[in-house]
Amino acid sequence: MQNAEKQPVKQEHYAGHEITITRIPGDAASSTSAEHPAYRLFIDGKVVPRKGSPSALVHKARSLIDQRAEDLQILPRLVELIDGRRSPSGLSEIGQVTEGDIVWVLARGHWRCGLVTKIARVRVTVSYTTYRSMSRVFHKVCLPRDLRRDVGRLATSAGSSRPPAQPADHVAAGTTASHGPSQHPEDTEQVAFEDLKVNDVLVRGCGDGRRARVLRPAEDFTDPFGRAMRQYWCGAMDGTAKEGWVPYGPGGTTLRLQRDAVEADFRSAMDDLGKTQESVEALAPLVRRAAQYFVAARAHGRFEDASEHLVVAMEAAAVAATCTSTLASLALRVRQLWSHPLGSHQGAAVGCLPRDAADPMVLAALRVVREAGITMAVLPDKIRPLWSWDAEFGSDGSQGALVWSSGSSLTVEWIMGGRSGERCLTRSQVPAVREVRNLAFAQLEEVFRDAGWNVATCGSTNTRTRRVVSLQVGCTAAEPS
């Protein structure tokens, strides 16, 4: 249909909102004729996808405005009830429900805690919201037999979303009208959200005891109601790469995993890793879960005597590596370093070549890079000679720094897309890749100079723009031991 000018048909104001109906005339190229024109509904200037006659559209618009007003009235209450769990364990079936009851319903792949807002002859409507959509109310229509109630197996840390006006002692108890008294596992401790630090492991307390590791310090934000809140960026501890925000309000509390429990969970994960067969699907999540607990335990002063190769491999598995095959290759390396550290090299190489794994100068350089928070390249378990890397390495490794011995000094390269150079790149890809690699080399140069190393930059003379190829570094002090 041609872009015919919209013709206003009806316009009115209802409950402080503007409702506009426009008519789009038909043409010869459209099935819509002048006798049966198409109408479009606008509420406050925004298109609402509804069809019908002008009178029907006005009726639908009024119903939508009334529904939004009702949602805004119950939204603060629903924010208090935000909770979710993957399974109905700890929930009991419901015989009868009344309007205003707090129930659990299966919606959008999770069991959600919400409020019964409407009861019809056969079905009931449960309203709920989520952390990511706290300005929107969702409605789930279902049968009463599909609802559940919480039996208090593990209370929710409701302090993360309580309004500031609620008493702090009630928030600290972590209970709601449907939750029983808080039951803390023996390996956790209840702490204020403000006391959490980076790499602390918190138990979300959503019935199934989901755990997350704090990855960043707390940040301030304002929720849809104008309340001052804070939030942590956390990563799941279930062997996946899921990350997200965990918000909380004043007086909020949560359960934190004790340090001894973090170490015990790491050792348990390593036992599972040692018993698992060498399959990509099985090894990848296990090594990521073990690495997440290792990083958390090491932040609390555990495993300080671990070898540098084990530390860099664990940090790569926890943070940098995302490819499943790369994680499986890392699992073989981690398992070998944990059970047989003096044995022959197995699995992936992180940050350096296997031939240089025992070089004290290389180990010292790896420590400098790791302590600066710079990622290291992960090379697959089938390592090719240096001259054939660009052709054989592939792109399934994580990008980062690579250190290898070149006699009396070390060469530091930056791997991107499985390559240390610009071969096989299109002309449009070269500028972006070159800029990123130059910035990475500038950061590495600063880190090594601050650590007291001699640094020389090796660049290309065949390009119009500056292109750093590698760094040559060497110790100024005595050889590292």
Side-chain angles (χ1 to χ4, degrees):
M1 187 173 64
Q2 295 178 355
N3 295 328
E5 185 179 357
K6 301 174 183 177
Q7 303 175 4
V9 174
K10 191 171 184 179
Q11 188 173 10
E12 69 173 52
H13 289 80
Y14 178 78
H17 297 271
E18 183 181 12
I19 302 175
T20 305
I21 310 295
T22 62
R23 175 179 178 273
I24 304 179
D27 57 9
S30 172
S31 61
T32 302
S33 64
E35 290 77 12
H36 299 86
Y39 297 96
R40 186 167 294 171
L41 172 62
F42 293 84
I43 299 179
D44 295 333
K46 296 182 179 180
V47 179
V48 180
R50 296 291 189 273
K51 294 182 179 180
S53 62
S55 58
L57 290 176
V58 170
H59 178 73
K60 293 177 181 179
R62 292 175 179 175
S63 300
L64 288 174
I65 292 173
D66 293 339
Q67 183 65 55
R68 292 177 182 177
E70 295 175 3
D71 291 347
L72 289 177
Q73 290 181 357
I74 65 173
L75 187 58
R77 176 60 174 152
L78 297 180
V79 172
E80 300 179 27
L81 301 177
I82 291 179
D83 202 348
R85 55 183 74 173
R86 298 179 182 273
S87 66
S89 59
L91 302 178
S92 61
E93 295 184 358
I94 297 178
Q96 294 181 351
V97 294
T98 59
E99 192 169 331
D101 283 354
I102 299 175
V103 298
W104 290 74
V105 63
L106 182 61
R108 301 167 68 89
H110 286 74
W111 286 89
R112 312 280 184 178
C113 185
L115 208 62
V116 177
T117 53
K118 185 184 296 184
I119 299 179
R121 182 177 300 179
V122 178
R123 300 178 182 273
V124 298
T125 301
V126 179
S127 303
Y128 69 93
T129 186
T130 62
Y131 278 125
R132 295 185 177 181
S133 306
M134 282 193 292
S135 60
R136 179 182 176 186
V137 176
F138 300 92
H139 303 281
K140 175 72 174 183
V141 180
C142 61
L143 298 173
R145 66 169 179 264
D146 297 331
L147 302 179
R148 299 291 186 272
R149 274 202 177 95
D150 192 355
V151 295
R153 174 173 174 263
L154 183 62
T156 303
S157 57
S160 62
S161 58
R162 296 283 183 186
Q166 190 156 358
D169 54 351
H170 183 75
V171 172
T175 60
T176 66
S178 65
H179 295 119
S182 178
Q183 300 178 7
H184 299 179
E186 295 180 356
D187 57 353
T188 62
E189 54 186 353
Q190 190 165 9
V191 297
F193 268 102
E194 293 287 350
D195 295 337
L196 291 176
K197 299 179 180 179
V198 176
N199 286 318
D200 279 350
V201 179
L202 59 92
V203 181
R204 294 300 308 275
C206 295
D208 50 5
R210 290 179 295 164
R211 298 177 179 182
R213 179 168 62 95
V214 179
L215 303 179
R216 303 179 193 168
E219 298 182 9
D220 299 325
F221 78 102
T222 304
D223 71 355
F225 306 103
R227 302 176 300 179
M229 305 274 285
R230 306 198 77 190
Q231 57 188 356
Y232 286 104
W233 184 260
C234 300
M237 300 289 286
D238 56 357
T240 64
K242 296 179 180 178
E243 297 181 359
W245 291 107
V246 176
Y248 66 95
T253 61
T254 187
L255 298 179
R256 180 175 61 188
L257 200 62
Q258 296 178 358
R259 297 181 179 181
D260 293 339
V262 174
E263 181 179 350
D265 288 341
F266 163 72
R267 296 185 181 277
S268 175
M270 290 303 300
D271 291 341
D272 295 339
L273 185 62
K275 300 174 184 177
T276 304
Q277 297 180 354
E278 296 182 4
S279 65
V280 173
E281 293 77 8
L283 290 176
L286 286 178
V287 70
R288 185 184 289 276
R289 182 165 66 92
Q292 290 165 343
Y293 279 109
F294 179 85
V295 173
R298 187 171 169 81
H300 296 149
R302 308 300 173 93
F303 305 113
E304 292 184 349
D305 57 345
S307 66
E308 187 65 28
H309 291 299
L310 179 62
V311 175
V312 296
M314 285 295 190
E315 291 189 356
V319 180
T322 56
C323 180
T324 303
S325 60
T326 302
L327 283 170
S329 185
L330 274 172
L332 300 179
R333 178 60 171 163
V334 167
R335 188 162 60 183
Q336 180 251 321
L337 290 172
W338 181 254
S339 58
H340 305 288
L342 301 180
S344 59
H345 183 97
Q346 296 180 9
V350 184
C352 70
L353 295 174
R355 71 185 186 195
D356 299 327
D359 191 325
M361 199 172 184
V362 172
L363 291 176
L366 293 180
R367 187 176 299 109
V368 171
V369 176
R370 176 181 59 80
E371 291 178 351
I374 301 176
T375 58
M376 300 188 191
V378 180
L379 310 183
D381 51 349
K382 295 181 179 180
I383 303 299
R384 304 294 182 179
L386 183 63
W387 55 267
S388 62
W389 273 1
D390 288 353
E392 303 290 345
F393 177 42
S395 58
D396 57 349
S398 61
Q399 72 176 24
L402 176 68
V403 181
W404 52 279
S405 178
S406 55
S408 59
S409 63
L410 302 179
T411 300
V412 182
E413 295 185 339
W414 187 261
I415 303 296
M416 289 185 62
R419 296 178 173 85
S420 59
E422 298 178 353
R423 293 184 184 178
C424 301
L425 295 180
T426 63
R427 183 175 298 179
S428 60
Q429 293 174 333
V430 168
V433 172
R434 186 174 297 173
E435 180 181 1
V436 172
R437 183 172 275 118
N438 288 344
L439 291 175
F441 278 123
Q443 184 181 8
L444 286 169
E445 181 179 0
E446 181 181 0
V447 167
F448 276 105
R449 289 191 187 280
D450 293 343
W453 291 59
N454 290 328
V455 183
T457 302
C458 299
S460 174
T461 59
N462 298 326
T463 57
R464 292 184 178 180
T465 59
R466 183 172 183 267
R467 178 197 170 198
V468 180
V469 178
S470 63
L471 299 180
Q472 295 291 325
V473 299
C475 277
T476 57
E479 287 294 321
S481 56

